[in-house]
Amino acid sequence: MEFPTDLKYAETHEWVKVEGDIAIVGITDHAQDQLGEIVFAELPEVGDTFEKGEEMCSVESSKAVGEALAPVSGEIVEINEALEDEPEKINADPYGEGFLVKIKMSDPSELDSLLDAEGYKATLG
Amino acid sequence: MPEPRKTPLYDMHVKLGGRIVNFEDWLMPVQFEGVIVEHNWTRQHAGIFDISHMTEFMVEGPDTIPLLKTLLTNSIGIGDFKAQYNHMCYPNGGVVDDLYIYRESEEKVRIIANAQPFETEGKDFNWIRDHIGNLNVTITDLSLERARFAFQGPETMKLLNPITTDDITTIKRFNWIYTEVKTTKGNIPIFLSRTGYTGEDDFSPELGSFEISCDKKYAEIIFQTFLDTGAKPIGLGARDSLRLECCFALYGHEINENITPIEANLSWVVKEKEGFQFIGQDVILKQKKEGTSRISVGLNLVNKGILRHGYKVFKDGKEIGYITSGTFAPTVGKSVGLALIESKFKEIGQELDVQIRNKFKKAVVVKTPFYSRGRKI
């Protein structure tokens, strides 16, 4: 299982890649593995705003519904539209083509409360 | 609460890489490779399911058939070495459990029924025992003494026949035999029934699926022998999606203590029996004749999404029922579900709305089952 060191992680199994004031967000390799084969991702709409910790996306496998929470507060500026037809990209490439959304952060200092790869790995026990 | 229980195959599931979950207080593999992979494998090849969490009873004695005719909804009028699907009902018509009976003789019938969580442990056994009254019948609980398997899929005959001591291609659907499995530890006696929960049977000699029961001391060698044929282990996740494509009821979903067999659209499981009144028949036979105000229907979700148990169903803004089971159906490639709704909306093509979280999504009533092998004799 992979946890790239250039990403930040939430204990609720989302990852964040920071590009300026934009946070690219997805679910971790561990989360996709736990869910199993993903058959549907319900994404928010561009323009929606979320507070850190709010429910932002639903990622559904054949057996379970996983909720992705906003790891930082802000406005959705892009969603991964490819997931509509190919939600399995989340399984195949959770940190790349399987990203969920891009958020324009309203408070980048929230990033400080996220974990690094080692810290996240430790939470998995 | 006691620790969840393990079937005799638990250690093998772990070794095979099964992801273990708690199902009805049993530690069971939900998947090995992946639910959809296993689903497709079973439809195209053959899979082995551990169903040892289910319950098994032997009913014996001169009054066996009369007892079953008063407790069960179907005809019971089957010959020796035949099997029949049945519901066992409460006086209100709700279902105690759904089960299979396997008749060995007029005085000996095996029953295989659902697993029970700790909370309702012994539910079926106690219900049957408590209704014996003055009848000359004994009931024995074999659940924990035996292991149970399902060997399902179109390649089952090809893989299983060479390792049994009898020619199983001559067994017809809904028939069973005692036979032996040839293993590296010698021949092992099994109960073998041409029944299943996957729909992989076209009634022909070539394409049929089986369920197996054996003494639990042979569980591991039987499982290994089955796996050595090339059949793959399949978890409960695919077991659920396979049965749902065929619209087979799951207790606690399509049927429960408050849903009758008629409401579940299973009126074929209910037969009036000459000289016998079965428990619940006043309600159920009336419903069979006059219909019910609510009924189980099949739905396709038109918008993207997945139907799940409990989601509410609406028509023109008014709540008319709920989803009893839903999944992404791999074989038909659609998001499907069963819903218990007001009967006046049951027509094929009826457009309904399903509330998924905070959104309403369009669904349409469709013909059931979603998937069928059809019948080739």
Side-chain angles (χ1 to χ4, degrees), chain A residues 81-112:
Chain A
E81 287 176 5
L83 298 180
E84 180 166 352
D85 292 321
E86 294 175 277
E88 62 273 17
K89 283 183 182 216
I90 299 170
N91 294 121
D93 189 8
Y95 302 114
E97 287 188 23
F99 82 95
L100 299 174
V101 296
K102 295 184 181 178
I103 299 175
K104 186 168 196 288
M105 291 181 280
S106 57
D107 181 5
S109 74
E110 287 173 344
L111 292 169
D112 298 338

Side-chain angles (χ1 to χ4, degrees), chain B residues 352-363:
Chain B
L352 304 173
D353 301 300
V354 180
Q355 186 181 356
I356 302 182
R357 292 175 283 274
N358 54 1
K359 288 181 187 160
F360 287 92
K361 303 219 174 179
K362 287 197 186 314

Side-chain angles (χ1 to χ4, degrees), chain B residues 31-76:
Chain B
Q31 65 168 59
F32 293 88
E33 281 182 70
V35 175
I36 297 173
V37 175
E38 291 163 32
H39 178 111
N40 291 334
W41 184 267
T42 306
R43 287 267 180 263
Q44 290 156 15
H45 304 284
I48 316 291
F49 305 70
D50 177 13
I51 51 171
S52 303
H53 59 309
M54 295 181 74
T55 51
E56 181 172 348
F57 316 112
M58 195 66 86
V59 184
E60 290 168 276
D63 293 326
T64 294
I65 301 298
L67 175 68
L68 297 181
K69 284 189 171 177
T70 63
L71 289 178
L72 302 177
T73 58
N74 210 336
S75 73
I76 316 299

Side-chain angles (χ1 to χ4, degrees), chain B residues 301-327:
Chain B
L301 191 60
V302 178
N303 297 131
K304 296 245 176 192
I306 308 293
L307 299 172
R308 305 270 175 195
H309 181 203
Y311 288 176
K312 291 172 178 172
V313 180
F314 293 80
K315 178 69 183 180
D316 299 330
K318 182 176 163 275
E319 190 178 332
I320 61 156
Y322 68 97
I323 303 294
T324 55
S325 292
T327 193

Side-chain angles (χ1 to χ4, degrees), chain A residues 32-40 42-45 55 58 60-65 67 84-85, chain B residues 19 30-31 33-38 236-237 240 304-306 308 311 326-328 356-357 359 361:
Chain A
Q32 70 78 20
D33 181 65
Q34 286 293 311
L35 278 166
E37 300 129 300
I38 289 159
V39 292
F40 178 61
E42 182 158 13
L43 302 179
E45 287 171 19
E55 218 173 278
S58 298
E60 304 199 29
S61 67
S62 39
K63 280 307 279 181
V65 184
E67 307 291 354
E84 180 166 352
D85 292 321
Chain B
R19 180 165 292 163
V30 66
Q31 65 168 59
E33 281 182 70
V35 175
I36 297 173
V37 175
E38 291 163 32
L236 288 182
D240 189 48
K304 296 245 176 192
I306 308 293
R308 305 270 175 195
Y311 288 176
T327 193
F328 174 76
I356 302 182
R357 292 175 283 274
K359 288 181 187 160
K361 303 219 174 179

